[in-house]
Amino acid sequence: MDDIVSRLDRVLNPRTVAVIGDKRAMGYMWLRSLSAFKGKLYSVQIDPNELPGIQELGVPNYASLLDVPDEIDYAVCAVPRTVAPRIVRDCAAKGVGGVSLFTSGFAETGEEEGIRLQNEIAGVAQESGLVLIGPNCMGVYNRRLGVRQAMDQPAGDEGRVGFISHSGTHAINFSLLASVHGIKISKSISAGNSVVVNPADYLEYLAQDAETQIIAMYLEGIQEPRRFFRLLKETTRKKPVVVWKGGTSESGERAMFSHTAALATPLSVWQALVKQCGVIPTDSLDETVDVVKALLFTKPCAGRRMGLIALTGGQSVVISDTFAREGLDVPLLTQRSYDELSSFFNIIGGSYRNPLDAGGTLGFGARPDNLERMLRILDEDENIDAVVLEIASRLLVRRAFGPLMPPADWLPDMLVAQKERSPKAFIAILHPGHLEAQVIEERAKLLERGVPVFGSFQQGARALCKMIDYYRFCRGLD
């Protein structure tokens, strides 16, 4: 499709939206989801039984899209599959910018009728130049404008991460989970069967979108593979691209075809191609969020040498093993660092070779200034590229040492100062342990202030390692 970037820009930044076929049985989910939209919203519905419910929502309704007295930038279609071709023709006749089809039952069913209907709507869209998103999808999400795929997606402020997904569920879940981790979405597209506009088109758009600094994807199959990988290679030179690939097992391939009718790419071929393109591969929703969080909140780092601070001897062993297992180094520090550490470090029950077993130095006597000294020493150590700090959940929620232990209210301010001051990448690990409810609250406070916090050593190590791999690729180091 010619000029796809400007066409998608109209759809992803709409001034007017029409919802076609929403009804009470679905809880008017589309009209309710779009209640946060800052532009003009219209409904199209001919069933008289549905009109009172639409009227209660305060949305003007018309019997036909062609009757709406306004240009429509984006339409959501939620009608039965046999009606879909007529709605797509109406969209083309009215000059709608783009339409997403929540409607399913097309090629993904494997049925002759579904394939015929899919070919019909694709043909209408291609002949008219209509941007057709899906079918079998959840449409688009623009957080800033309040164009939502689901009622519980945040709205009203800008984001910096774009998301492309063959799955509507993963598109919505990524936006919700990411938000909990301080990550805001710029634009998200649920691509569905991708019969007209496909992930290569969305990637081309997000690559030039000034609002989007990082792109993440959930992909099943690939249309236009040569163009897609060319775009990936060009885009990763400008901004990071994180890709979570679905359908990597035999059973996953079967499920993938039933989901979006996508054909599998051999895993070894896929892995080789994404590596050549500088893509950051992930295996799950959680890992995708972790890697995006590292990219968003951590200073760029291309070195693998870690300076680790843990609070007990056992945790020192485990954090070392975990980071080493991910391919990161835990080297000895410089003699200058050891000389300074020896001047104040409590070695009764502790040690400071790297990792620093710092519980006694920090906890007993509650010496926040000692933590600041340790962080500064690692910042200035020539053998260290990035710094990792374990935060004990019991310390943070004030249960570690009873009433004699002052609250750790100073810690968030110190970590924010560390992140801003240090030229090196810095992450914190806060494992919830048995205090999950309390830790969620404390983690949110740190994330609100831009401190990258991870729930386990493995999550932090893997995210940091993948971020480092990306910057090494950009600098031609590997």
Side-chain angles (χ1 to χ4, degrees):
M1 185 175 285
D2 295 336
D3 201 15
I4 187 62
V5 170
S6 64
R7 289 173 187 269
L8 279 172
D9 195 57
R10 180 184 173 193
V11 178
L12 288 163
N13 297 281
R15 295 165 301 169
T16 52
V17 175
V19 175
I20 305 155
D22 207 1
K23 54 188 179 183
R24 185 178 298 277
M26 297 192 296
Y28 298 110
M29 59 177 275
W30 289 107
L31 292 172
R32 292 184 190 279
S33 294
L34 286 158
S35 62
F37 177 47
K38 295 180 179 179
K40 294 179 182 177
L41 177 63
Y42 298 98
S43 167
V44 176
Q45 177 58 266
I46 60 172
D47 186 345
N49 296 320
E50 302 291 351
L51 301 187
I54 294 171
Q55 191 174 17
E56 285 178 15
L57 295 173
V59 180
N61 183 77
Y62 294 87
S64 166
L65 182 66
L66 300 175
D67 295 338
V68 177
D70 213 336
E71 291 185 349
I72 299 298
D73 295 320
Y74 172 52
V76 178
C77 176
V79 302
R81 68 176 183 175
T82 52
V83 184
R86 180 166 63 79
I87 300 302
V88 173
R89 285 194 189 89
D90 283 354
C91 288
K94 190 168 177 60
V96 169
V99 57
S100 67
L101 273 79
F102 175 60
T103 308
S104 59
F106 295 96
E108 76 276 9
T109 64
E111 299 172 357
E112 184 178 341
E113 178 65 359
I115 295 170
R116 184 190 69 76
L117 289 167
Q118 179 166 294
N119 290 339
E120 186 175 348
I121 61 171
V124 172
Q126 286 162 343
E127 287 173 13
S128 62
L130 173 69
V131 170
L132 191 150
I133 300 170
N136 183 27
C137 76
M138 294 299 290
V140 304
Y141 172 43
N142 182 320
R143 177 174 174 138
R144 174 173 49 83
L145 295 178
V147 179
R148 297 187 297 188
Q149 300 156 323
M151 285 177 275
D152 48 353
Q153 286 179 311
D157 53 354
E158 295 183 352
R160 294 189 284 166
V161 178
F163 194 72
I164 302 165
S165 176
H166 273 126
S167 160
T169 297
H170 294 328
I172 293 168
N173 286 348
F174 180 82
S175 70
L176 297 175
L177 184 61
S179 180
V180 170
H181 287 265
I183 301 163
K184 298 177 182 179
I185 305 298
S186 54
K187 284 116 182 167
S188 171
I189 306 105
S190 164
N193 293 8
S194 301
V195 296
V196 175
V197 186
N198 64 55
D201 299 311
Y202 304 129
L203 175 61
E204 185 172 351
Y205 174 80
L206 291 177
Q208 59 76 49
D209 181 39
E211 197 177 13
T212 300
Q213 296 179 9
I214 299 168
I215 300 170
M217 303 187 202
Y218 168 77
L219 294 180
E220 293 183 355
I222 304 296
Q223 294 96 346
E224 298 187 89
R226 287 183 182 277
R227 175 175 170 239
F228 180 73
F229 285 109
R230 174 180 60 77
L231 286 167
L232 273 182
K233 205 165 190 175
E234 294 171 1
T235 305
T236 55
R237 296 293 181 185
K238 297 185 288 187
K239 53 183 81 174
V241 179
V242 183
V243 179
W244 166 23
K245 177 73 172 67
T248 56
S249 66
E250 186 177 339
S251 55
E253 288 178 12
R254 287 197 306 272
M256 185 177 73
F257 184 81
S258 299
H259 181 214
T260 56
L263 298 175
T265 303
L267 183 58
S268 58
V269 174
W270 169 260
Q271 289 171 332
L273 287 171
V274 297
K275 185 175 183 181
Q276 288 172 18
C277 294
V279 166
I280 305 171
T282 56
D283 294 324
S284 67
L285 174 64
D286 291 329
E287 189 185 5
T288 306
V289 169
D290 284 340
V291 173
V292 170
K293 182 163 57 178
L295 289 162
L296 199 58
F297 296 125
T298 305
K299 290 179 179 163
C301 176
R304 301 189 189 279
R305 302 171 301 174
M306 302 290 108
L308 306 177
I309 303 176
L311 296 184
T312 66
Q315 290 292 71
S316 298
V317 174
V318 174
I319 193 173
S320 300
D321 285 345
T322 305
F323 277 75
R325 209 160 37 233
E326 292 298 331
L328 298 168
D329 301 324
V330 187
L332 296 177
L333 307 179
T334 62
Q335 188 56 49
R336 180 183 170 189
S337 294
Y338 287 132
D339 290 344
E340 188 169 351
L341 284 164
S342 67
S343 68
F344 69 95
F345 206 96
N346 180 1
I347 58 171
I348 301 175
S351 65
Y352 53 79
R353 287 175 65 79
N354 189 23
L356 310 188
D357 173 4
T361 306
L362 171 62
F364 300 124
R367 295 291 303 272
D369 55 324
N370 281 346
L371 177 59
E372 188 173 12
R373 289 181 76 177
M374 287 184 265
L375 291 169
R376 284 186 181 275
I377 289 168
L378 293 178
D379 278 348
E380 294 168 3
D381 194 297
E382 295 90 351
N383 292 348
I384 297 301
D385 299 309
V387 177
V388 181
L389 170 69
E390 179 205 10
I391 305 171
S393 56
R394 294 172 65 218
L395 173 66
L396 197 61
V397 299
R398 310 172 188 179
R399 294 186 184 178
F401 303 103
L404 295 178
M405 179 70 185
D409 291 343
W410 46 269
L411 190 58
D413 288 340
M414 180 179 291
L415 299 187
V416 171
Q418 163 68 18
K419 183 192 166 189
E420 293 174 351
R421 178 190 65 240
S422 174
K424 297 179 179 177
F426 169 74
I427 67 169
I429 309 292
L430 176 54
H431 191 281
H434 64 294
L435 300 170
E436 192 162 348
Q438 297 93 326
V439 164
I440 287 173
E441 186 180 339
E442 298 299 327
R443 184 185 63 193
K445 290 176 185 174
L446 291 169
L447 287 166
E448 279 176 6
R449 301 182 67 181
V451 177
V453 183
F454 295 86
S456 70
F457 293 153
Q458 184 173 5
Q459 285 180 275
R462 185 160 295 179
L464 197 56
C465 184
K466 295 204 168 189
M467 183 195 78
I468 290 168
D469 286 345
Y470 170 71
Y471 286 114
R472 292 182 70 83
F473 172 85
C474 291
R475 298 176 191 181
L477 295 176
D478 288 332

